[in-house]
Amino acid sequence: MFKRMMKGGQKKPSKSDSNDGYGPPANDVNQSAVVVVPPPSGKIEPLPLFRDVPVSERQNLFLRKLQICCHTLDFTDTMKSVREKEIKRQTLMELVEFIQSSSSKITEICQEEMIKMVSVNIFRCLPPAFHENTGQDATDPEEEEPCLEPAWPHLQLVYELLLRYVVSSDTDTKVAKRYIDHSFVLKLLDLFDSEDPREREYVKTILHRVYGKFMVHRPYIRKAINNIFYRFIYETERHSGIMELLEILGSIINGFALPMKEEHKLFLVRALLPLHKPKPVAVYHQQLSYCISQFVEKDFKLADTVIRGLLKYWPVTNCQKEVLFLGELEEVLEATQAAEFQRCMVLLFRQIARCLNSPHFQVAERALFLWNNEHIVGLIAQNRTVVLPIIFEALEKNVQSHWNQAVNGLTVNVRKMFLEMDADLFEECQRKYLEKEAKAKEVEELRELNWKRLADAAALNGPDMVTA
């Protein structure tokens, strides 16, 4: 309850309203920006149903109903304006039904006024996150209680109306793009930062449909999403809608034509791979992993770039994050060809060797599960002369001293697999490992002997001997 009370504090401004360098350049913005009409004055009174008036009067009635829906009502007090709220809700339901079932196209003026009404209702200052309002450190987004929008009974219907308009086969994109312009799209993207998951889901669906229907907006939308990612990665590490944006991108990437444009490859390197760095990566990792895999499946030559990117952002102290990375790595290797594998296998298996020896059993276990994948085993078999010498010591240490029995058993199986793969190579690696261990033992014995000599010398010289 305290969190909800605090969330009612100072509102955070819409990002698209500030010139902070992260919005698209000014000369890219369509000059026909959405004009938000002021809320009408006077009481809200119910209007007749569409079916109760002649067809010739329905467009005018549509406009009058839009005017009613431009009233914004206070939902923080459930007992306030109850009658007006119900009239507006019923009116919005009628508008949705009219758009969905109308046999004739709505006029351009109706379309313009409808987008104005939608703008009045959905484009608003979002409530601040709890940590922003209290000054406390940000907590794990998965543990935070989402702030549900109190006006959702109306907002849902407004979003549904917009969605029906966008997906309607009667909607002419040449006309609609005058009202659903760059300014409208940018403000729509701001709504992904809403804490209400129901709202983000609607915004995701609508933006995806806009991207599919309005080809003229596609580069602009990709660029605007890019800017949101940059701000999230390098400045705030706080955004509620990264997961939903990545879900849209997964579908967009799937539709990329081949050969892939340089712009898309730069997006992979500059935005998607650095998204592995922020602390809350676990929230959106599944969607991020899908996007990364789509790139590699589209163009297998990107596998080397992706694997090196993963290694660059590999976690050092976060074991749960390591488990996620190993799962993603397996998906990428699944689509990797031999030539790309050879370019990065040395760096890759040095990291895998460290994971094999991790004291956290889930990390070591997940690394050993890579050998359950036939494609990866095939790549390793082709390059065993390079791979086995890198990881042999890690395998031996696990067999000899890892505390977890399951990890110990999996390691024995992997060791046996290499022995069957190339017995001569295995024996050679074992011989070098034993030699290395013997030398290390000699060095350790020599060190112990030197310390013993020092101790004996100190004893001979008495207790007053000064040691440095």
Side-chain angles (χ1 to χ4, degrees):
M1 177 61 73
F2 178 72
K3 285 188 179 182
R4 290 181 180 278
M5 290 171 64
M6 295 306 297
K7 285 176 186 289
Q10 183 181 358
K11 306 290 184 180
K12 59 183 176 184
S14 169
K15 297 182 187 66
S16 60
D17 293 336
S18 62
N19 185 17
D20 58 4
Y22 284 88
N27 57 359
D28 281 350
V29 178
N30 191 327
Q31 296 302 313
S32 59
V34 175
V35 179
V36 178
V37 296
S41 58
K43 282 188 174 183
I44 296 179
E45 296 296 338
L47 293 172
L49 300 174
F50 283 109
R51 64 171 177 265
D52 295 337
V53 299
V55 175
S56 59
E57 295 180 18
R58 287 180 183 174
Q59 298 285 345
N60 286 333
L61 181 59
F62 186 84
L63 289 172
R64 290 168 64 198
K65 288 182 182 288
L66 288 175
Q67 279 295 103
I68 285 179
C69 296
C70 283
H71 283 86
T72 53
L73 303 170
D74 183 8
F75 276 82
T76 56
D77 184 354
T78 55
M79 303 306 294
K80 187 177 179 181
S81 306
V82 176
R83 176 178 172 274
E84 287 81 0
K85 289 173 184 175
E86 181 58 24
I87 291 173
K88 180 177 176 180
R89 190 183 70 82
Q90 291 290 344
T91 305
L92 283 167
M93 289 175 66
E94 291 171 32
L95 290 172
V96 171
E97 187 178 348
F98 182 79
I99 290 290
Q100 191 171 359
S101 60
S102 180
S103 56
S104 59
K105 293 182 180 180
I106 58 173
T107 62
E108 287 189 31
I109 186 67
C110 285
Q111 293 181 54
E112 182 179 6
E113 292 303 316
M114 183 178 68
I115 297 301
K116 286 179 182 178
M117 184 277 290
V118 168
S119 301
V120 167
N121 281 275
I122 68 173
F123 298 147
R124 65 206 189 281
C125 291
L126 298 172
F130 177 69
H131 73 94
E132 291 176 348
N133 210 34
T134 61
Q136 294 183 8
D137 291 337
T139 55
D140 188 341
E142 288 185 309
E143 297 176 1
E144 286 185 5
E145 183 183 352
C147 177
L148 300 179
E149 176 57 54
W152 185 246
H154 286 182
L155 277 177
Q156 181 182 14
L157 292 168
V158 175
Y159 278 121
E160 188 65 29
L161 178 65
L162 178 58
L163 178 60
R164 295 298 173 191
Y165 171 68
V166 171
V167 302
S168 174
S169 57
D170 292 329
T171 301
D172 186 351
T173 54
K174 291 180 181 178
V175 175
K177 73 180 181 182
R178 298 175 195 164
Y179 317 118
I180 300 179
D181 57 7
H182 284 177
S183 175
F184 185 92
V185 167
L186 193 60
K187 290 178 180 178
L188 195 65
L189 280 161
D190 281 344
L191 295 172
F192 276 102
D193 207 11
S194 168
E195 287 196 51
D196 193 326
R198 303 168 299 181
E199 181 167 20
R200 296 199 304 270
E201 191 66 25
Y202 257 107
V203 176
K204 179 190 76 174
T205 305
I206 291 167
L207 185 70
H208 194 189
R209 295 290 189 171
V210 168
Y211 186 92
K213 191 156 191 168
F214 298 84
M215 294 188 69
V216 66
H217 290 334
R218 289 183 181 183
Y220 185 85
I221 290 172
R222 291 197 300 268
K223 185 176 180 180
I225 292 175
N226 228 353
N227 290 336
I228 291 173
F229 286 165
Y230 290 156
R231 186 185 180 100
F232 172 70
I233 296 164
Y234 299 111
E235 287 197 8
T236 65
E237 288 198 0
R238 299 290 305 190
H239 196 284
S240 301
I242 299 298
M243 180 176 71
E244 288 81 5
L245 288 168
L246 286 168
E247 285 178 5
I248 296 173
L249 283 169
S251 178
I252 291 173
I253 295 164
N254 193 35
F256 282 166
L258 295 175
M260 199 174 290
K261 293 179 182 177
E262 193 63 27
E263 168 203 345
H264 303 327
K265 295 178 183 178
L266 287 173
F267 172 68
L268 168 68
V269 174
R270 294 177 180 176
L272 288 186
L273 287 173
L275 275 173
H276 290 86
K277 182 181 177 183
K279 290 179 182 177
V281 64
V283 175
Y284 56 80
H285 183 266
Q286 183 181 349
Q287 291 75 18
L288 176 60
S289 179
Y290 177 76
C291 289
I292 297 288
S293 299
Q294 286 289 303
F295 266 102
V296 179
E297 288 173 13
K298 281 276 179 182
D299 185 353
F300 64 86
K301 292 180 181 178
L302 292 171
D304 176 47
T305 302
V306 167
I307 291 171
R308 288 177 184 272
L310 284 174
L311 295 176
K312 178 180 178 181
Y313 297 106
W314 200 276
V316 178
T317 58
N318 190 328
C319 296
Q320 294 303 324
K321 203 170 170 183
E322 274 195 276
V323 173
L324 293 176
F325 273 52
L326 285 164
E328 183 177 353
L329 180 63
E330 182 174 357
E331 291 183 17
V332 173
L333 287 172
E334 188 86 56
T336 302
Q337 303 299 317
E340 282 64 42
F341 181 80
Q342 288 168 359
R343 291 193 185 100
C344 60
M345 61 184 175
V346 174
L347 289 174
L348 173 62
F349 279 92
R350 283 176 184 166
Q351 180 58 57
I352 290 175
R354 286 191 284 271
C355 292
L356 291 173
N357 287 149
S358 172
H360 195 291
F361 80 96
Q362 288 180 334
V363 175
E365 190 176 58
R366 190 63 188 84
L368 288 161
F369 282 158
L370 292 173
W371 274 266
N372 290 342
N373 188 299
E374 289 184 11
H375 179 72
I376 296 174
V377 170
L379 292 172
I380 292 171
Q382 293 173 28
N383 301 278
R384 58 187 179 275
T385 55
V386 176
V387 173
L388 184 57
I390 295 172
I391 66 167
F392 189 86
E393 184 175 346
L395 294 173
E396 290 298 305
K397 285 181 178 178
N398 269 9
V399 170
Q400 292 169 15
S401 59
H402 201 284
W403 67 271
N404 185 271
Q405 194 172 1
V407 170
N408 199 288
L410 287 168
T411 306
V412 169
N413 292 339
V414 171
R415 193 172 176 275
K416 183 180 178 183
M417 191 182 296
F418 275 112
L419 180 60
E420 293 171 353
M421 206 180 282
D422 192 333
D424 293 339
L425 176 64
F426 187 90
E427 289 173 4
E428 176 66 17
C429 290
Q430 191 171 43
R431 182 183 61 79
K432 289 181 178 179
Y433 171 74
L434 293 173
E435 287 178 0
K436 182 180 177 182
E437 287 293 296
K439 286 180 181 178
K441 189 176 180 181
E442 287 178 12
V443 169
E444 183 63 28
E445 288 174 353
L446 183 60
R447 184 182 295 114
E448 290 291 334
L449 182 60
N450 288 336
W451 275 111
K452 188 175 183 303
R453 286 173 180 169
L454 285 171
D456 292 344
L460 288 171
N461 285 278
D464 296 330
M465 180 180 178
V466 178
T467 57

